[in-house]
């Protein structure tokens, strides 16, 4: 399987963590890619019209995106239970959507400051996105104590989201006001899959 890959992407990291947890990481051929919201990578666009990472090309030639779809495909290939069934599946999907929402908001705020020309930046837009981050952190602080030792698409996605905040927003002291979320993340971040997928530029 070929994975269009960027070591700084939290969505790629989510796929890589799932692959590690499912014992499939050695089956992924990582294809370096330079996804960008403006300067779009032609090599990705040849497979995925959105030009985004992660994009997975299966051994059978099927092209899959986005990260949640790829993770579900890997889960099926590895015989895992990252998504679950019945009520557990809906719980896991809802948690993953919350983590993805935090990531999308944090990415949009970052693009506003790092990609958009300074004369066109809108601080209210960035503030609005970061308020979503704050709201998700508040919910996560209330719910994280019940996670226990769960390893599923929800906890993986939420851990990637918190890791992204550390990576791109080092001045954001999210742990100060969210000690329960911080305690859960500290334990989850010690998993070998998390250690092996630390983001980098």
């Amino acid at each position: 399987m070929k994975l269009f890959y960027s070591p700084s992407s939290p969505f790629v990291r989510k796929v890589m963590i799932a692959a590690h947890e499912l014992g499939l990481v050695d089956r992924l051929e990582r294809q370096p890619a330079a996804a960008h919201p403006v300067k779009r990578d032609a090599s990705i666009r040849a497979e995925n019209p959105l030009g985004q990472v992660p994009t997975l090309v299966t051994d059978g030639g099927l092209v899959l995106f986005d990260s949640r779809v790829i993770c579900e495909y890997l889960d099926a290939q590895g015989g895992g239970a990252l998504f679950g069934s019945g009520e557990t599946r809906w719980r896991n999907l809802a948690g993953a959507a919350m983590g993805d929402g935090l990531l999308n908001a944090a990415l949009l705020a970052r693009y506003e400051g790092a990609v958009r020309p300074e004369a066109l930046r809108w601080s209210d837009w960035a503030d609005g996105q970061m308020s979503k981050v704050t709201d998700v952190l508040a919910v996560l602080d209330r719910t994280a104590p019940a996670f226990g030792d769960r390893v599923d698409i929800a906890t993986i996605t939420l851990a990637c989201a918190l890791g992204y905040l550390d990576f791109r927003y080092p001045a954001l002291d999210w742990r100060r006001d969210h000690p329960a979320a911080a305690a859960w993340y500290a334990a989850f971040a010690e998993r070998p899959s998390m250690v092996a997928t630390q983001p980098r530029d």
Side-chain angles (χ1 to χ4, degrees):
M1 296 180 284
K2 181 168 68 174
L3 180 70
F4 286 88
Y5 172 92
S6 168
S8 64
S9 165
F11 295 106
V12 169
R13 187 182 192 194
K14 178 168 57 162
V15 168
M16 294 302 298
I17 290 170
H20 276 280
E21 295 289 347
L22 294 164
L24 297 174
V25 72
D26 291 338
R27 289 182 54 190
L28 294 178
E29 174 193 342
R30 295 174 215 178
Q31 179 71 39
H36 190 276
V38 179
K39 302 171 186 174
R40 302 175 67 222
D41 187 325
S43 67
I44 312 171
R45 291 169 61 198
E47 301 289 352
N48 174 357
L50 299 176
Q52 296 173 338
V53 292
T55 295
L56 181 76
V57 182
T58 71
D59 293 337
L62 183 64
V63 179
L64 298 176
F65 48 89
D66 59 7
S67 61
R68 189 165 50 194
V69 174
I70 296 171
C71 286
E72 188 155 10
Y73 177 81
L74 294 177
D75 197 47
Q77 296 300 301
L82 296 183
F83 287 78
S85 59
E87 288 296 313
T88 297
R89 175 178 171 80
W90 298 119
R91 178 203 69 186
N92 290 345
L93 288 174
M98 188 168 66
D100 283 339
L102 187 156
L103 281 172
N104 283 322
L107 277 166
L108 287 172
R110 174 173 160 72
Y111 287 158
E112 188 72 16
V115 177
R116 191 182 298 277
E118 187 172 1
L120 301 177
R121 292 175 191 166
W122 184 19
S123 62
D124 288 351
W125 169 266
D127 291 345
Q129 298 307 315
M130 292 308 292
S131 74
K132 297 177 187 179
V133 171
T134 301
D135 287 351
V136 170
L137 287 170
V139 172
L140 184 55
D141 201 54
R142 293 195 302 270
T143 56
F147 288 173
D149 59 358
R150 281 173 47 195
V151 180
D152 51 46
I153 195 59
T155 56
I156 289 171
T157 306
L158 290 164
C160 286
L162 296 178
Y164 183 76
L165 293 181
D166 285 347
F167 180 50
R168 291 301 192 200
Y169 294 89
L172 179 66
D173 187 11
W174 62 266
R175 289 171 175 81
R176 181 191 61 200
D177 296 327
H178 308 95
W184 168 77
Y185 178 68
F188 198 91
E190 293 180 357
R191 296 190 66 80
S193 62
M194 290 285 289
V195 174
T197 59
Q198 286 287 342
R200 65 182 192 279
D201 283 315

